[in-house]
Every structure is written in C-alpha cells, then in structure tokens.
C-alpha cells in the first residue's frame, strides 16, 4: 500500500525523530528509482526491463541502483510500502487497546488520502496480474506488512487477549487493504463505482466488520 509520499508518511514524527537532510535525500532517491521502475514495468513488463535501464532513466549509476535495491523487482518496494508504514504509525499512536473497525477505517483514510503516485501505482498493480515476478514482490510485501501489523496489535492488546484473535484481526485488516487496492487498480467504473483506494478500503473493512 503506497499512496502517500515519504515526507507525508513521516509527518507524525516528533522533531527529534525527523529525518536529516541526507536521510531525506536517500528516501527521495529510493522513491525516484521506484517511480522509474514502476513506469517501465507497467509499460513493458519485468522481462523486458533491466536494472541498467532503470538506473539510466533514473539518472544514476548501476552501482548506486544496487545500493538502494537488491533486484530490479525490489526497486518498486517504496511505492508499495510507504502508505502501509503510515497506517501502522497511526494505529500504534492510538489507544492502548485493540483498535475498533471504525478506528482502522479512520487510519486507512488518513494514510490513503493523498500522494502523487496514484496512476503509477495503478499501472504497477495492473502489471502484476500477468507478471509473476512483480506478483511475488507484491505478495511478499503484503505478508511482511501483515506480520508487522500483528506485532503492533499485539503490543496494543490488553494482557490475556487471545493471540489468535490478534492474528485474525491483522490478517483481516491487511487482507482488506490488499483487496481494496487490487480492485481499485483493475476496476474503474463498474462494481467499484470509481471509488478511491481509501473508500474501497473502508468498504472492505466494513464488510468484514459486519461479518461475511
């Protein structure tokens, strides 16, 4: 989930936690590489795009590229994780208990309400439908996001809370966001009604909250 920029995603940090100029430049470089890779992958697919081409079009050397990404597919990771990181920050900063569905909705709305990369993200998610390499990256990122959400929820849960309940809540919430983004990417005017990612996420969460 990545529909906010790194600076937006860090807006909640306290002054002493704010990124330095050098750190901000690294974040922006990673995002520039991710945007370039996403654009190329969406247009040509991963099989036709090399790390050398991504680096050249991003205006960096190949050695610099590999300082920021392990593989060409992993280069898109910042576009797929920043929104989720912001969502986790909002949840972690909430009441010291498991969040309600309404609170999860509010956090999703806040973390998915802005950003300049909507169309790039849409193109990347569409490309994943037929590109196994990109799909593997997407599923890995979602599994890691679910695991991190489970850690955050376990930290918020009251002592004695059933760990299975925590795990199910994490899986359901993470799955709702994944499904919302995937539906938003491939459906424009029919069943989704042209809804935004945030609106679709709320719809998915409310469906889960009401019971399938």
């Amino acid at each position: 989930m990545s529909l906010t920029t790194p600076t937006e995603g860090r807006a909640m940090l306290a002054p002493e936690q704010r990124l330095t100029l050098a750190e901000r430049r690294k974040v922006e470089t990673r995002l520039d590489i991710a945007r370039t890779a996403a654009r190329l992958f969406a247009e040509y697919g991963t099989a036709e795009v090399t790390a050398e081409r991504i680096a050249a079009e991003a205006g960096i050397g190949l050695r610099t590229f590999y300082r920021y990404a392990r593989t060409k597919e992993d280069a898109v990771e910042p576009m797929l994780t920043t929104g989720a990181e912001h969502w986790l920050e909002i949840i972690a900063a909430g009441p010291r208990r498991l969040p309600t569905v309404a609170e999860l909705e509010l956090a999703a709305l806040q973390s998915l309400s802005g950003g300049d990369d909507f169309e790039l993200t849409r193109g990347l998610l569409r490309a994943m439908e037929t590109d196994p390499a990109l799909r593997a990256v997407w599923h890995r990122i979602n599994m890691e996001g679910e695991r991190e959400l489970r850690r955050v929820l376990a930290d918020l849960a009251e002592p004695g809370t059933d760990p299975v309940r925590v795990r199910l809540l994490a899986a359901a919430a993470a799955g709702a966001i994944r499904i919302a983004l995937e539906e938003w990417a491939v459906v424009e005017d029919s069943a989704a009604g042209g809804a935004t990612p945030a609106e679709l996420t709320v719809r998915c969460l409310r469906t889960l909250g009401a019971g399938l």
Side-chain angles (χ1 to χ4, degrees), residues 12-207:
M12 296 176 59
L13 295 179
E16 64 272 14
Q17 296 175 296
R18 295 282 165 80
L19 299 178
T20 66
L21 178 59
E23 289 170 335
R24 288 200 301 273
R25 285 175 176 166
K26 288 181 179 179
V27 168
E28 287 302 324
T29 298
R30 283 194 77 213
L31 192 57
D32 285 343
I33 295 170
R35 286 171 176 152
T36 302
R39 175 175 54 81
L40 292 172
F41 289 160
E43 187 171 353
Y44 302 104
T46 55
E48 301 297 323
V49 178
T50 63
E52 288 85 354
R53 182 173 181 182
I54 298 170
E57 297 211 17
I60 60 173
L62 187 59
R63 291 180 63 183
T64 300
F65 173 88
Y66 280 118
R67 282 205 297 269
Y68 288 92
R70 296 181 298 274
T71 67
K72 63 181 182 181
E73 293 86 4
D74 285 337
V76 301
E77 186 171 330
M79 288 190 61
L80 301 175
T81 59
T82 305
E85 290 168 0
H86 190 197
W87 190 57
L88 289 173
E89 287 177 0
I90 296 169
I91 293 171
R96 304 304 298 174
R97 55 168 172 73
L98 288 180
T100 64
V101 172
E103 288 166 342
L104 290 173
E105 289 176 13
L106 181 59
L109 285 170
Q110 289 177 299
S111 61
L112 289 168
S113 61
D116 300 321
D117 294 323
F118 276 77
E119 289 310 309
L120 276 176
T121 302
R122 187 195 293 269
L124 189 59
L125 290 174
R126 284 178 174 173
M128 289 175 189
E129 289 293 307
T130 56
D131 193 314
L134 283 179
R135 203 156 56 243
V137 172
W138 175 238
H139 287 310
R140 173 177 58 79
I141 288 171
N142 276 279
M143 286 300 296
E144 291 173 354
E146 180 185 322
R147 189 178 300 111
E148 183 62 17
L149 176 58
R150 190 168 74 223
R151 185 195 64 77
V152 170
L153 294 178
D155 184 58
L156 292 174
E158 297 178 357
T161 300
D162 184 355
V164 172
R165 180 187 175 200
V166 173
R167 187 166 187 174
L168 284 171
L169 179 59
I177 289 185
R178 176 182 61 78
I179 291 169
L181 290 173
E182 290 174 351
E183 287 297 305
W184 162 76
V186 300
V187 182
E188 292 183 354
D189 300 316
S190 57
T196 67
E199 290 167 342
L200 279 170
T201 297
V202 168
R203 174 178 155 191
C204 288
L205 287 168
R206 287 183 180 176
T207 299

